[in-house]
């Protein structure tokens, strides 16, 4: 049986001026799997993630989400896709400093035109699930890094996305907090059957994945021995 | 000292950003300084213009001089071109030592003309052909030098004439020596003082904002210094050093801008007023004051700014967000202002004296400063209560809740400018009634009028005017003075006789029936002009210069007079051409009312050309319902220009603030875009974030403007009335400035919403 | 650590005398504990018996040190297999890994691939440990964490090595 991959990157190439960040990088993500993207610093991991999420357009190559070419979509459609189907967790600085944590988590729902009350109710549930209900009224500046990161995970999950993109989600946390964030993130993702693309260079973080892809000098040298062709 | 130097060096540190910031501050302060210098130069500017205007005064008061080798005949020959006044003089030297007008090296002979450079330019332009006929084909033999013109763009000429006689002209043996030009009256002084206050105060606010450009990176840098061991006093000294450098650079830039701007000044003409670069000279004490005060203010402002934040080694925390703003001290300046203005409310005459003038200025300044001090408190208060709404609104309001001071500061400049304008314009509209006269003209009945005096071929002239290209129709009459038979109409005029066809005469009286050959006695209000009671039907009367004798027919009807299109209504004899042979009477005056397309200005110029060719003494004008005293118009327009410039300036500082803020938040913006936020949502949030404080600011401005206006109106004993169009106009200008700022900020926002920003820091 | 495969790897570059082999081995991989000659000749004779090396030439004189050894085709395959086979993630296995990396470089093979293979293997084990941790009690968690941190240290070292491969290659070939 072949499973149609959810997200496919095909021969992506991307240069920034003289630097080639990606060179014919390819990758497949199946629905519900957790894939770690590893590799040395500057190898193009973040760039790959940005291309996959339709944030950055590759110079050549294709990204297909559910069979649709993301590059061929309008910017509006891509934004809607990111709003509706994707979730994001970054290393830091991703919460809007002037909104409370609750409002931050509710933000993607409200961007999807859900009413304020309903959005904040769902946001509160997610804060609870991620064990940070107590910070809901505080501003991001007033919570610890680990709490903030869990708020960010709640925000990424609140729209029940199909894919969660996480770029060094534990980069600024100590190991205990990092593990906690990873456990909550992967548990929640598995429960909601969301795929996770996890960029990290920490093996312990990558160990939460189902398989890993290695990026080196912009090339994916991944052991593409996943269940794709099984 | 070394701390100050360190601060000075830090003003430029930080690579490209550091330089950009330093330049921005220097430029912002520079603009402010340049404007202050310009304001300081205004008195000298006016003085120079006035002195040269007085020097070419050519009207001799008192006894007529005898003709001599050193006398000159001068006759006014003023005209207009495209609504610009043209000062024209006919000159005829009566001897070799005839005086030369200032700026003219040789008197023009017959058929020659000396023109101002601006007029020469006009004549050389394609439009010149619309003006040249007025000079009768005279050859341009020279130009008037700067010392003979108040401003570089004045249109003026001296036309030589051999035929100029002593009547209708002045004989003079020197130019100048007239009475000093009329001084500004107390009300006008009040206005000028307040205009300066209203315009300079926002500039001060702007200066305050300019020295704070780049505040947040500066604070971060200071925090880094604390981390490596600088104490609080040192950081303060370093900040002061940085501020001084910015201010000093700003003064240099301001000086340069002013020097350059001064050279540009002659290129612009605002409402018929142009100024020579040489006249733009700020007085030395004021320059010295600016050079000292600006750095001091910069240091004080930046130290005050630091008071609000605690710079700790681990970063910057803002105290402002936790402490509520207090109200009481914010009420002090406007209260003192009102107290100062109160005694003047009863007696505006006192305003002329220097002391009270300062009192007025101080009172107005304090009242307006009230708007500046109250605004942050109000913004804070109101913004706390908002917050529910769409995402864009929520983002904007939450941002304001976190830091309303920055926007309040910028908006207070707008508020002061608008409040001042509203106050002044209220005063204007009140005082306008004193200065504006209803002309009584009725522009619906005709577009323009042409009046020619005492010309031999009246009917032919009339036809010539009607035949001017562009004229679509009109009526014309000829008129002459009349007297009882036996006396001279010239020496002892007792009334007027007007000759015209029925249609033309209908403009002057309610004729009823009318056919060629009819004569009417038109009866106006008794106290307006000479009575015609004596001229009953059958009377013999003498008409015109030659005292031609004519009998009023027996069937002359008496009809009520009607106001003519220029609003005059008087008793006179009206005759149709069939009743009197006009050619017999001698020179007659012509009065025509002409129609043409109001939007075609050339026709008016052609009419002027034709009229000038027909006689030296002609009046050509456009009908309009009101006229304003010239000086008043000037002040009012000056204010509008000032306000627009001020708003633009503040717009610039708002834009800088906005861009700075956007740059600081680029990572956040990129992140929001990454998670799929619509660009429109972000644009709206930026919009609201700018607009909400401005709306609050404008509300405060309207309130303070009304208060100021009421006080000022009371001071000149005028009933207090609110002119909503003025308020609409002032707030509209401000709103336009804000929209412009937001609009200009959008491209930057678009650029910053690039996901590349995710990498920043 | 397998001395035999290491010898084979060294021989891939060209035939050597037994004495040369020992010197090269000591210099590169075992500064502190030089090989005994007995070890060297025992290993070489085992390799010879298995057909992985052959005698290339014998110089006049006596003793095994007079023999020159060369690698056979089977020997090359053996080295290849050894290199491409991950080591069992274990404590303190750097020495083996280091040897493998240097050998890969010496023999012109892709050392980066070797590292990737090893990383995959490490991660596989780490994943197992992580899963066990999630299901286990505190004691389990602590034990797993201990192992995880050690494995992570290995991997970090691997990363470091990978980052310095170019430097290393220059040195090794010099
Ligand atoms: N916007 C950009 N402009 C210029 N160069 C860029 C840009 N984005 C990425 N690069 C370059 O592309 C290469 C890959 O960058 P990328 O951020 O993808 O690496 P990474 O694998 O995520 O590194 P790290 O682990 O340090 O985050 C780097 O050499 C980087 O300098
Ligand atoms: Mg990265």
């Amino acid at each position: 049986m072949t499973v149609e991959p959810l997200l496919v990157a095909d021969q992506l190439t991307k240069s920034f001026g003289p630097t080639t960040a990606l060179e014919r990088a390819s990758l497949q993500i199946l629905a519900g799997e957790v894939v770690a993207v590893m590799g040395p610093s500057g190898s193009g991991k973040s760039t790959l993630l940005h291309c996959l999420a339709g944030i950055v357009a590759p110079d050549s190559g294709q990204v297909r989400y559910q069979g649709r070419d993301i590059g061929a979509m309008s910017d509006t459609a891509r934004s809607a896709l990111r709003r509706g189907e994707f979730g994001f967790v970054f290393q830091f600085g991703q919460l809007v400093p002037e909104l409370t944590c609750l409002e931050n988590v509710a933000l993607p729902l409200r961007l999807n035109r859900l009413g304020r009350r309903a959005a904040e109710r769902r946001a509160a549930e997610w804060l609870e699930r991620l064990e940070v209900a107590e910070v809901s009224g505080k501003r991001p500046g007033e919570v610890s890094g680990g709490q903030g990161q869990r708020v960010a995970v709640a925000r990424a999950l609140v729209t029940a996305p199909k894919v969660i993109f996480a770029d060094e989600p534990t980069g600024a946390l100590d190991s205990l907090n990092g593990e906690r964030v990873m456990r909550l993130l992967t548990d929640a993702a598995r429960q909601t059957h969301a795929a996770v693309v996890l960029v990290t260079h920490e093996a312990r973080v990558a160990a939460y994945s189902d398989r890993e892809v290695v990026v080196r000098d912009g090339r994916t040298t991944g052991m593409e021995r996943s269940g794709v062709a099984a | 000292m070394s701390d100050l130097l360190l601060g000075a060096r830090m003003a430029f540190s930080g690579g490209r950003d550091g330089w950009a910031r330093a330049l921005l501050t220097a430029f912002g302060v520079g603009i402010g300084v340049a404007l202050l210098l310009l304001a300081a130069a205004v008195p000298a500017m006016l003085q120079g213009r006035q002195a040269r205007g007085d020097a070419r005064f050519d009207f001799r008061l008192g006894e007529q001089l005898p003709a001599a080798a050193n006398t000159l005949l001068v006759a006014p020959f003023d005209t207009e071109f495209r609504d610009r006044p043209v000062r024209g003089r006919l000159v005829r030297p009566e001897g070799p030592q005839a005086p030369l007008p200032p700026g003219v090296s040789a008197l023009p002979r017959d058929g020659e003309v000396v023109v101002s450079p601006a007029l020469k330019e006009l004549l050389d332009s394609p439009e010149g052909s619309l003006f040249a006929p007025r000079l009768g084909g005279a050859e341009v033999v020279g130009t008037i030098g700067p010392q003979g013109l108040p401003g570089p763009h004045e249109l003026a000429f001296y036309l030589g004439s051999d035929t100029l006689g002593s009547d209708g002209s002045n004989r003079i043996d020197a130019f100048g020596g007239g009475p000093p030009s009329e001084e500004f009256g107390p009300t006008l002084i009040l206005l000028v003082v307040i205009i300066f206050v209203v315009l300079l105060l926002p500039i001060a606010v702007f200066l305050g904002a300019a020295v704070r450009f780049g505040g947040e990176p500066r604070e971060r840098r200071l925090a880094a210094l604390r981390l490596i061991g600088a104490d609080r006093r040192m950081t303060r000294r370093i900040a002061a050093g940085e501020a001084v450098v910015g201010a000093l650079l700003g003064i240099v830039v301001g000086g340069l801008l002013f020097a350059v701007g001064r050279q540009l000044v002659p290129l612009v003409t605002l409402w018929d007023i142009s100024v020579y670069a040489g006249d733009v000279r700020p007085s030395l004490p004021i320059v010295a004051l600016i050079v000292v005060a600006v750095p001091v203010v910069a240091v004080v402002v930046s130290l005050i700014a630091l008071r609000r934040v605690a710079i700790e080694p681990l970063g910057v925390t803002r105290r402002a967000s936790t402490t509520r703003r207090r109200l009481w001290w914010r009420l002090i300046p406007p209260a003192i202002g009102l107290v100062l203005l109160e005694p003047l409310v009863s007696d505006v005459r006192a305003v002329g004296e220097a002391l009270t003038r300062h009192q007025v200025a101080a009172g107005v300044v304090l009242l307006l400063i009230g708007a500046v001090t109250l605004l942050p408190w109000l913004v804070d208060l109101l913004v706390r209560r908002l917050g529910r709404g769409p995402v864009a609104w929520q983002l904007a309001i939450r941002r304001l809740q976190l830091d309303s001071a920055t926007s309040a500061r910028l908006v207070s400049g707008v508020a002061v400018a608008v409040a001042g304008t509203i106050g002044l314009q209220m005063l204007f509209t009140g005082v306008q009634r004193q200065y504006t006269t209803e002309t009584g003209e009725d522009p619906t009945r005709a577009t323009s009028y042409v009046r020619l005096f005492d010309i031999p071929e009246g009917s032919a002239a009339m036809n010539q005017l009607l035949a001017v290209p562009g004229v679509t129709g009109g009526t014309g009459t000829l008129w002459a003075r009349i007297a009882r038979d036996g006396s001279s109409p010239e020496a002892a005029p007792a009334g007027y006789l007007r000759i015209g066809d029925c249609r033309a005469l209908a403009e002057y009286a309610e004729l009823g029936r009318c056919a060629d050959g009819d004569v009417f006695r038109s009866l106006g209000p008794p106290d307006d002009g000479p009575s015609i009671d004596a001229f009953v039907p059958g009377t013999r009367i003498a008409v015109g210069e030659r005292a031609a004798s004519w009998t009023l027919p027996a069937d002359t009807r008496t009809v009520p007079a009607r106001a003519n299109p220029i609003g005059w209504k008087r008793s006179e004899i009206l005759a149709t051409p069939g009743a009197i042979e006009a050619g017999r009477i001698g020179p007659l005056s012509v009065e025509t009312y002409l129609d043409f397309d109001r939007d075609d200005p050339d026709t008016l110029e052609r009419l002027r050309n034709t009229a000038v060719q027909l006689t030296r003494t002609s009046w050509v004008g456009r009908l309009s319902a009101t006229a304003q005293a010239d000086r008043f118009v000037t002040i009012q327009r000056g204010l509008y220009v000032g306000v627009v410039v001020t708003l633009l300036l503040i717009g610039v500082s708002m834009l800088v603030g906005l861009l700075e803020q956007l740059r600081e938040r680029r990572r956040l913006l990129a992140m929001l875009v990454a998670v799929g936020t619509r660009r429109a949502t972000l644009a709206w949030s930026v919009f609201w974030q700018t607009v909400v404080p401005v709306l609050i600011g404008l509300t405060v401005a309207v309130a303070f403007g009304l208060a100021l206006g009421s006080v000022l109106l009371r001071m000149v004993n005028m009933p207090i009335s609110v002119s909503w169009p003025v308020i609409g106009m002032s707030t509209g200008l401000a709103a336009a400035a804000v929209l412009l700022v937001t609009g200009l900020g959008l491209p930057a926002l678009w650029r910053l919403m690039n996901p590349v920003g995710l990498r920043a820091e | 650590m397998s001395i035999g495969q290491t010898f084979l790897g060294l021989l891939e570059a060209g035939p050597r005398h037994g004495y040369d082999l020992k010197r090269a081995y000591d210099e590169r991989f075992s500064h502190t504990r030089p090989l005994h000659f007995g070890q060297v000749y025992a290993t070489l004779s085992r390799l010879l018996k298995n057909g992985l090396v052959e005698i290339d030439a014998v110089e006049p004189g006596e003793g095994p040190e007079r023999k020159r050894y060369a690698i056979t085709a089977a020997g090359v395959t053996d080295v290849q297999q050894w290199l491409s086979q991950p080591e069992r993630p274990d404590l303190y296995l750097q020495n083996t890994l280091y040897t493998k990396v240097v050998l890969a470089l010496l023999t012109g093979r892709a050392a980066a691939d070797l590292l990737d293979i090893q990383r995959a293997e490490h991660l596989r084990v780490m994943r197992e440990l992580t899963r066990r941790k999630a299901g286990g009690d505190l004691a389990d968690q602590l034990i797993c964490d201990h192992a995880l941190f050690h494995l992570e240290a290995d991997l970090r070292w691997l990363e470091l090595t990978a980052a310095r491969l170019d430097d290393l290659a220059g040195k090794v070939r010099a």
Side-chain angles (χ1 to χ4, degrees):
Chain A
M1 182 195 89
T2 32
V3 188
E4 171 60 19
L6 182 66
L7 187 61
V8 178
D10 197 9
Q11 305 271 328
L12 300 183
T13 298
K14 174 80 190 173
S15 305
F16 297 99
T19 2
T20 307
L22 287 180
E23 200 173 328
R24 284 183 279 112
S26 300
L27 179 65
Q28 300 195 337
I29 312 279
L30 300 184
E33 72 171 337
V34 181
V35 178
V37 177
M38 304 188 70
S41 190
S43 57
K45 303 184 296 290
S46 298
T47 310
L48 177 62
L49 182 108
H50 292 164
C51 286
L52 282 173
I55 297 173
V56 162
D59 298 337
S60 70
Q62 221 185 29
V63 177
R64 286 188 303 278
Y65 174 72
Q66 292 181 333
R68 284 174 293 160
D69 180 3
I70 286 189
M73 293 183 186
S74 71
D75 183 62
T76 322
R78 260 200 310 272
S79 290
L81 189 68
R82 291 201 297 268
R83 256 197 326 270
E85 313 270 285
F86 297 169
F88 294 88
V89 186
F90 299 113
Q91 186 173 350
F92 55 79
Q94 47 190 326
L95 299 176
V96 182
E98 48 266 12
L99 298 185
T100 64
C101 288
L102 183 71
E103 285 166 341
N104 261 297
V105 176
L107 190 64
L109 292 173
R110 302 207 56 205
L111 288 174
N112 279 329
R113 303 266 151 88
L114 190 68
R116 191 177 59 84
R117 227 174 279 263
E120 289 186 356
R121 200 166 338 106
R122 290 246 301 269
E125 283 166 22
W126 274 103
L127 283 175
E128 190 128 352
R129 261 177 96 166
L130 287 161
E131 303 164 11
V132 274
E134 72 276 10
V135 302
S136 70
K138 293 189 179 170
R139 296 220 164 92
E142 301 161 349
V143 305
S144 80
Q147 288 169 331
Q149 210 58 4
R150 275 179 278 155
V151 172
V153 173
R155 196 192 58 183
L157 287 163
V158 74
T159 52
K162 297 257 171 38
V163 190
I164 295 166
F165 295 95
D167 193 350
E168 311 273 10
T170 60
L173 303 180
D174 66 17
S175 42
L176 199 60
N177 265 299
E179 302 247 351
R180 191 164 176 199
V181 166
M182 280 317 298
R183 182 172 53 77
L184 290 166
L185 172 64
T186 44
D187 283 356
R190 293 214 160 91
Q191 274 167 32
T192 56
H193 207 62
V196 178
V197 181
L198 172 67
V199 167
T200 183
H201 55 251
E202 283 181 79
R204 267 178 312 110
V205 172
Y208 281 87
S209 64
D210 299 324
R211 65 184 174 99
E212 76 279 353
V213 172
V214 178
V215 182
R216 179 163 285 134
D217 293 335
R219 272 179 275 252
T220 43
T221 58
M223 321 283 93
E224 283 290 69
R225 52 181 173 79
S226 69
V228 180
Chain B
M1 193 61 213
S2 61
D3 293 339
L4 285 178
L5 283 178
L6 178 60
R9 255 207 320 281
M10 283 190 34
F12 299 100
S13 63
R16 224 164 45 115
D17 263 14
W19 273 98
R21 208 168 48 233
L23 284 183
L24 210 60
T25 306
F27 200 69
V29 174
I31 291 177
V33 166
L35 280 172
L36 286 177
L37 288 174
L38 190 67
V42 166
M45 216 153 83
L46 295 178
Q47 221 168 26
R49 282 181 56 83
Q50 195 168 324
R52 285 192 302 275
D54 288 347
R56 65 177 182 183
F57 184 77
D58 56 10
F59 187 79
R60 199 186 143 73
L61 302 160
E63 254 170 68
Q64 178 91 9
L65 287 172
N70 66 346
T71 58
L72 175 75
L73 287 177
V74 188
F77 194 47
D78 294 342
T79 172
E80 273 179 47
F81 187 77
R82 298 248 197 270
D83 290 333
R84 286 172 72 187
V86 183
R87 183 184 195 265
R89 291 292 185 266
L90 290 175
V91 290
R92 180 182 175 194
E94 292 183 303
Q97 276 111 52
L100 286 172
V104 174
S105 51
L107 283 166
R109 287 188 298 257
D110 192 42
E112 290 179 351
V113 65
V114 179
V115 298
S116 69
L119 184 55
K120 179 152 172 53
E121 206 172 293
L122 170 65
L123 286 170
D124 291 342
S125 76
E127 290 203 317
S129 58
L130 272 175
F131 188 85
R134 269 173 250 185
L135 300 178
E139 184 197 351
V140 176
V141 293
T143 51
I144 307 173
Q147 66 272 37
L149 297 167
H153 290 283
E154 202 200 20
L155 298 174
F157 64 85
Y158 294 97
L159 178 61
S161 164
D162 266 356
T163 52
L164 188 62
S166 61
D167 62 316
S169 66
N170 271 293
R171 176 170 290 127
I172 56 170
D173 56 4
F175 280 89
S181 338
E182 188 200 339
E183 292 227 325
F184 285 132
T187 311
L188 289 176
I189 285 181
L190 176 62
L191 287 178
V192 171
V193 166
I194 293 169
I195 284 179
F196 267 78
V197 169
V198 162
L199 295 184
L200 290 185
L201 207 53
I203 290 177
V205 172
F206 171 76
L207 272 176
V211 296
R212 286 197 213 198
F213 285 164
E216 297 212 11
R218 175 182 317 156
E219 285 159 11
R220 275 204 301 272
R221 240 169 333 152
L222 292 176
L225 283 181
R226 293 279 325 249
L227 191 62
I228 57 168
D231 64 22
R232 261 180 212 130
R233 300 247 309 280
M234 280 158 86
T235 53
R236 244 175 242 144
R237 278 199 299 272
I238 291 169
E242 220 181 314
V244 165
V245 170
L248 288 179
L249 261 184
I251 290 175
V252 172
V253 171
L256 287 177
L257 283 179
F258 178 72
V260 173
R262 207 166 94 116
Q263 298 311 312
L264 297 180
V265 159
L267 300 181
V268 286
T269 304
L270 284 176
W271 298 292
D272 308 334
I273 293 187
S274 54
V275 176
Y276 283 111
D279 283 346
V280 188
R281 258 174 304 135
S283 67
L284 211 59
I286 296 188
V287 173
L289 185 69
I290 291 175
V291 168
V292 174
V294 168
V296 170
V297 168
V299 168
V300 169
V301 165
S302 63
L303 290 186
I304 288 179
L306 280 189
R307 211 173 43 90
R308 296 217 147 276
V309 298
I311 297 193
E312 298 297 346
L314 281 181
V316 181
T317 48
R318 250 150 249 289
R319 294 200 190 109
S321 57
T322 48
T323 54
R324 281 280 191 127
R325 298 176 191 285
R326 294 193 188 288
L327 176 61
W328 64 268
W329 69 264
R330 294 169 189 277
L331 286 174
I332 294 176
I336 297 181
L338 283 177
V339 168
L340 278 179
L341 291 175
E342 197 279 330
L344 297 170
V345 164
S346 39
D347 185 17
V348 71
R349 306 288 149 215
V351 167
E353 296 154 27
L355 184 74
T356 43
R357 219 181 291 167
H358 292 143
Q359 200 172 336
V360 171
V364 171
V365 168
L366 285 172
L367 194 61
L368 289 177
I369 284 181
V372 179
T373 54
L374 272 177
L375 198 61
W377 178 79
L378 252 178
V379 170
D380 218 36
L381 187 79
L382 290 176
V383 154
R384 255 170 221 280
R385 271 144 230 269
L386 301 170
R388 304 269 142 101
V391 181
W393 173 264
Q394 191 184 37
L395 284 172
I397 295 298
R398 287 277 189 270
R399 170 91 197 144
L400 288 175
Q401 284 173 349
L402 213 58
D403 178 21
S404 63
T406 318
S407 20
R409 208 154 52 219
L410 290 174
V411 165
S412 56
V414 177
V416 169
V418 172
T421 321
I422 290 178
L424 275 175
Q425 295 289 7
M426 259 174 84
L427 183 60
F428 278 135
T429 32
V431 180
Q432 215 156 15
R433 274 169 230 136
Q434 279 186 338
Y435 285 83
T436 307
T437 43
E438 297 267 329
T439 56
E441 292 174 358
D442 183 353
T444 60
R445 279 160 72 186
T447 316
S448 80
Y449 61 87
V450 179
R451 285 139 72 75
L452 313 171
F453 297 97
D454 303 324
I455 62 170
E457 288 297 334
S459 330
M462 226 151 63
N463 290 334
Q464 240 171 299
L465 289 172
L466 279 164
V468 165
V471 174
T472 53
T475 60
T477 56
L478 304 170
W479 59 269
R481 295 184 185 81
I482 52 175
R484 272 164 200 282
D485 196 25
S487 44
S488 153
E490 282 300 297
Y496 299 96
L497 168 67
R498 185 175 299 280
I499 306 166
D501 56 26
C502 287
R503 200 166 65 84
L505 292 182
E507 296 284 0
Y508 298 87
E510 314 286 351
L511 295 180
R513 277 180 294 110
C514 174
D516 196 21
D518 285 358
V519 177
F520 306 89
R521 291 172 73 233
S522 156
L523 219 52
D527 49 348
D528 217 358
S531 138
I532 49 163
D533 291 350
F535 304 113
V536 294
T539 324
R540 283 189 74 77
I541 51 182
V543 183
E545 216 174 283
R546 295 188 204 150
S549 127
W550 180 60
T551 310
L552 215 54
D555 59 354
T556 298
R557 275 191 293 131
T558 303
V559 293
R562 172 190 180 201
N564 70 8
I566 61 168
W568 293 358
K569 183 174 177 180
R570 65 182 180 197
S571 304
E572 56 191 356
I573 308 291
L574 306 176
T576 49
I580 181 166
E581 196 191 324
R584 187 166 72 82
I585 305 173
L588 288 166
S589 295
V590 176
E591 188 171 320
T592 60
Y593 293 98
L594 301 171
D595 289 319
F596 55 84
D597 183 359
R598 255 173 211 282
D599 297 330
D600 170 25
D602 290 358
T603 307
L604 193 67
E605 301 309 325
R606 281 195 287 269
L607 275 174
R608 289 198 175 111
N609 289 343
T610 309
V612 165
Q613 279 157 3
L614 289 167
T615 169
R616 179 158 70 77
T617 46
S618 65
W619 293 62
V620 180
R622 209 194 280 260
L623 269 62
S624 76
T626 55
Q628 292 178 2
D630 280 359
R631 174 172 298 147
F632 201 74
V633 173
T634 315
I635 292 181
Q636 202 170 6
R637 284 163 173 174
L639 178 68
Y640 272 126
V641 178
V643 166
V644 168
V645 169
T646 310
L647 282 175
L648 281 180
L649 256 186
I650 294 171
V652 167
S653 65
M654 287 177 79
L655 185 61
V656 168
L658 185 64
L659 291 182
E660 216 170 56
Q661 204 190 78
L662 287 179
R663 247 208 344 238
E664 247 155 54
R665 293 160 66 81
R666 67 183 289 162
R667 202 191 137 81
L668 187 68
L669 288 172
M671 190 276 300
L672 283 171
V673 172
V675 303
T677 311
R678 289 176 197 84
R679 273 151 213 255
T681 307
L682 291 180
W684 275 109
S685 104
V686 166
F687 175 78
W688 286 124
Q689 197 189 314
T690 324
V691 161
V692 168
V694 168
L695 277 184
I696 298 172
L698 287 182
T699 315
V700 170
V702 169
F704 273 79
L706 288 176
L708 180 66
S710 308
V711 169
L712 293 178
L713 279 175
R714 283 287 301 121
M715 283 171 67
V716 293
N717 286 323
M718 289 276 175
I720 293 168
S721 66
V722 179
S723 158
W724 293 110
V726 160
I727 292 178
M729 167 94 171
S730 314
T731 50
L733 277 177
V738 173
L739 283 182
L740 191 72
V741 167
T742 319
L744 289 177
L746 281 185
L749 180 65
W750 250 240
R751 214 156 21 79
L752 289 175
M753 283 194 297
N754 197 318
V756 169
L758 275 176
R759 313 186 55 81
E761 279 184 274
Chain C
M1 189 173 27
S2 164
I3 303 171
Q5 269 96 355
T6 313
F7 277 8
L8 287 176
L10 288 170
L11 283 175
E12 251 200 288
R16 286 171 197 256
H17 287 98
Y19 182 73
D20 282 343
L21 272 174
K22 172 188 151 47
R23 228 184 35 208
Y25 186 96
D26 285 349
E27 211 171 273
R28 289 219 157 92
F29 307 116
S30 192
H31 270 304
T32 45
R33 273 191 300 145
L35 286 178
H36 297 290
F37 274 103
Q39 253 180 316
V40 174
Y41 290 117
T43 307
L44 280 173
S45 51
R46 186 167 45 83
L47 292 176
L48 204 58
K49 200 174 69 195
N50 293 344
L52 301 177
V53 297
E54 55 191 352
I55 307 284
D56 179 54
V58 185
E59 286 179 33
E62 276 202 28
E65 66 270 32
R66 291 283 164 233
K67 291 188 184 115
R68 208 161 65 147
Y69 296 89
I71 193 165
T72 61
V76 173
T77 319
D78 191 65
V79 176
Q80 174 69 37
Q81 241 169 28
W82 181 63
L83 286 182
S84 57
Q85 199 172 44
E87 291 292 324
R88 205 196 114 60
D90 208 346
L91 310 189
Y92 314 118
L93 49 66
Q94 301 91 307
N95 278 334
T96 320
L97 280 176
Y98 179 70
T99 312
K100 278 184 155 184
V101 169
V102 173
L103 272 181
L105 288 173
L106 274 176
T107 55
R109 291 187 171 84
D113 286 354
L114 185 150
L115 289 178
D116 283 343
I117 293 165
Q118 192 60 48
R119 185 205 334 258
E121 187 58 19
H122 265 68
L123 270 176
R124 192 182 57 75
V125 175
M126 286 178 77
R127 245 180 233 122
E128 255 163 42
L129 288 169
T130 307
R131 259 197 294 278
R132 236 173 79 192
K133 201 171 77 170
D137 57 12
L138 186 60
D140 260 349
Q141 283 179 16
L142 288 177
I143 291 165
C144 291
D145 273 335
H146 178 80
L148 279 168
F149 279 113
H150 278 292
L151 289 172
E152 191 189 18
D154 280 348
L155 269 181
R156 288 233 183 110
W157 176 83
L158 270 180
E159 292 289 351
L160 209 67
T161 311
R164 293 185 184 155
L165 272 184
D166 289 345
D167 272 1
L168 196 61
K171 277 229 188 77
V172 166
R173 297 215 176 92

